[in-house]
Amino acid sequence: MATRTDAPTRREQILKEAARLFAERGFHGVGVDEIGAAVGISGPGLYRHFAGKDAMLAELLVGISGQLLTGAKRRLAEVDGTPAEEVLDSLIEGHIDFALDDRPLITLHDRELDRLRDSDRKLVRQLQRQYVELWVSVLREVYPGLAEPAARSAVHSVFGLLNSTPHLGRAGSLPGRGTTAELLHRMARGAFAAAATE
Amino acid sequence: MATRTDAPTRREQILKEAARLFAERGFHGVGVDEIGAAVGISGPGLYRHFAGKDAMLAELLVGISGQLLTGAKRRLAEVDGTPAEEVLDSLIEGHIDFALDDRPLITLHDRELDRLRDSDRKLVRQLQRQYVELWVSVLREVYPGLAEPAARSAVHSVFGLLNSTPHLGRAGSLPGRGTTAELLHRMARGAFAAAATE
DNA sequence: CCTTCAGGTTAACGACCGCTAACCTCCCTG
DNA sequence: CAGGGAGGTTAGCGGTCGTTAACCTGAAGG
């Protein structure tokens, strides 16, 4: 799979802008006219690309959950055989990359889930659950003494920690992406270690 | 100040239900008729108690920020003179209590801020900033080596961790409030300690 | 050169929503 | 026992929003 140098398709433009707007003002707070204007076309023109506003949100959320899950699975396969600690580090690193690179998406991910149709919501929930369970099993390899309910809670809490990136000062005030990523990584590891300390 | 045993006023009922509904479906996703129905009156009856839907959200968000800040200040005064580590523990405990007892409010707190009028939003932001700075100064007493920008990032991230309670299984699946509180507390301390480890 | 079709446009419809107006009904109080 | 305000009610207005309908246009293809 080559890194894409193509110009983004119109669909992709729309999804990107819609994600940004949804994250900024909430799903119900954004009108289709605004989404259209953000990509240079006007309101109803969007319906040549999507069945409706709901469909855009659904595609975004399913995409996010799927991307997180398949990314994690890929990492798991890549580091197969290495110590569990390194696997956990790889998972953390992947999640941080996502949280830092796609802040609007990370925001949507745990905010607008309830606006989906039942079937889409079930799908997203299932993907999210698989992602969590994957973390839980790796975590319990690293800390065998950690009970499963506690491990699950710990994973959710660390997601909360890592997903806090949108709250870390807008753009310029951050101490640089690499520094922030390292800080988050250390804190996640520290939180997990503390969770495992009876 | 006696613990209140009075029946809640109508205003308080409304605010509580509005908070729950806003947290569930977002500010724009809830109609005034639903809020009214949730307290047994119908739609426009709310306007005897609030100037409008916006006013409810504003009162909720200002209330949350104020409550967090004054609670933290009170705790700081109570444990005055004790080691900084204990002060930090007290802050963490207070935040956890709030996050576990008022999950809808904690959700609103960092989700619907942008729906406020400019003046209200500025007020809430100011209260939030004071709260953060209070944590930052205590944290830097405990870990003098921690630079201020890193400390601020660490505080925001730990808020993300502690505010993850709404994502920890609905009601029955949790291992009990006390256990969860202890787990969160340990993880927060672990995350801070790791943040301070160069 | 004519056709077709992808990808736009504007107009407009129907539903919904926040809010106001007008009215009603207790209950407290002088 | 009058009366007045607190706290409801329903009807309805004005605006917004998602969506559809009808139409246009430029470029590709036989």
Side-chain angles (χ1 to χ4, degrees):
Chain A
M1 187 190 310
T3 65
R4 43 171 312 155
T5 54
D6 319 0
T9 72
R10 186 49 32 121
R11 270 183 72 90
E12 289 168 332
Q13 283 183 49
I14 295 172
L15 284 176
K16 185 181 166 194
E17 294 302 312
R20 185 179 54 81
L21 289 167
F22 289 160
E24 277 174 14
R25 300 214 289 283
F27 179 67
H28 292 295
V30 180
V32 290
D33 289 355
E34 299 178 74
I35 303 173
V39 297
I41 70 181
S42 220
L46 296 171
Y47 287 76
R48 298 283 165 197
H49 304 275
F50 293 93
K53 197 180 154 194
D54 299 336
M56 300 180 208
L57 182 64
E59 189 157 327
L60 281 171
L61 292 187
V62 173
I64 299 163
S65 318
Q67 221 176 308
L68 278 173
L69 180 59
T70 61
K73 279 181 176 170
R74 181 172 43 73
R75 282 168 179 272
L76 231 72
E78 279 173 3
V79 299
D80 193 40
T82 64
E85 304 223 347
E86 291 181 25
V87 182
L88 183 57
D89 280 327
S90 181
L91 286 182
I92 294 173
E93 186 184 313
H95 197 104
I96 289 177
D97 284 345
F98 194 80
L100 285 176
D101 293 339
D102 295 295
R103 280 151 76 148
L105 291 184
I106 251 337
T107 300
L108 283 186
H109 180 248
D110 67 271
R111 188 167 299 196
E112 306 285 357
L113 183 58
D114 299 324
R115 264 54 108 199
L116 255 49
R117 286 174 29 231
D118 270 22
S119 62
D120 290 322
R121 190 171 54 246
K122 273 181 190 167
L123 173 56
V124 172
R125 281 242 164 83
Q126 182 192 320
L127 293 168
Q128 288 181 343
R129 189 164 36 229
Q130 286 182 61
Y131 184 63
V132 170
E133 292 311 314
L134 200 144
W135 277 66
V136 167
S137 70
V138 172
L139 183 61
R140 296 190 69 206
E141 276 189 65
V142 178
Y143 302 105
L146 194 59
E148 191 175 311
R152 211 184 321 276
S153 290
V155 166
H156 280 290
S157 299
V158 164
F159 286 169
L161 189 156
L162 298 180
N163 294 349
S164 68
T165 50
H167 302 296
L168 308 178
R170 298 283 166 226
S173 80
L174 274 182
R177 190 209 135 105
T179 312
T180 302
E182 280 171 29
L183 177 66
L184 288 172
H185 198 128
R186 258 184 289 136
M187 292 181 76
R189 286 305 303 254
F192 278 142
T197 307
E198 279 296 323
Chain B
M1 187 190 306
T3 64
R4 42 172 311 157
T5 54
D6 320 0
T9 73
R10 186 48 35 116
R11 269 183 73 90
E12 289 168 332
Q13 282 182 49
I14 295 171
L15 283 176
K16 185 181 165 194
E17 294 302 312
R20 185 179 54 81
L21 289 167
F22 289 160
E24 278 174 13
R25 301 213 288 284
F27 179 68
H28 292 294
V30 179
V32 289
D33 289 354
E34 298 178 75
I35 303 175
V39 296
I41 72 181
S42 221
L46 296 171
Y47 287 76
R48 299 285 165 194
H49 304 275
F50 293 93
K53 199 182 155 192
D54 298 336
M56 300 181 208
L57 182 65
E59 188 157 329
L60 282 171
L61 292 186
V62 172
I64 300 163
S65 318
Q67 221 175 306
L68 278 173
L69 180 58
T70 62
K73 280 181 175 171
R74 181 172 43 74
R75 282 169 178 272
L76 232 72
E78 280 173 1
V79 298
D80 192 41
T82 64
E85 305 221 348
E86 290 182 26
V87 182
L88 183 57
D89 279 327
S90 181
L91 285 183
I92 294 172
E93 187 184 312
H95 197 104
I96 289 176
D97 284 346
F98 194 80
L100 286 176
D101 293 339
D102 296 293
R103 281 152 74 149
L105 291 185
I106 251 336
T107 300
L108 283 186
H109 180 249
D110 66 89
R111 188 167 299 194
E112 306 285 356
L113 182 58
D114 298 323
R115 264 53 108 197
L116 255 47
R117 286 173 29 230
D118 270 23
S119 62
D120 291 322
R121 189 170 56 246
K122 272 181 190 165
L123 173 56
V124 172
R125 282 242 164 82
Q126 183 191 320
L127 293 169
Q128 288 181 343
R129 191 164 34 230
Q130 286 183 58
Y131 185 65
V132 170
E133 292 310 315
L134 199 145
W135 277 67
V136 167
S137 69
V138 172
L139 184 61
R140 295 190 69 205
E141 276 190 63
V142 179
Y143 301 105
L146 194 59
E148 192 175 310
R152 211 184 320 277
S153 290
V155 167
H156 279 291
S157 299
V158 165
F159 287 170
L161 188 156
L162 298 179
N163 294 349
S164 68
T165 49
H167 303 296
L168 308 177
R170 299 284 166 223
S173 81
L174 274 183
R177 192 209 134 105
T179 311
T180 302
E182 281 170 29
L183 177 66
L184 288 173
H185 198 130
R186 258 184 288 138
M187 293 181 74
R189 287 305 303 255
F192 278 143
T197 306
E198 281 295 326

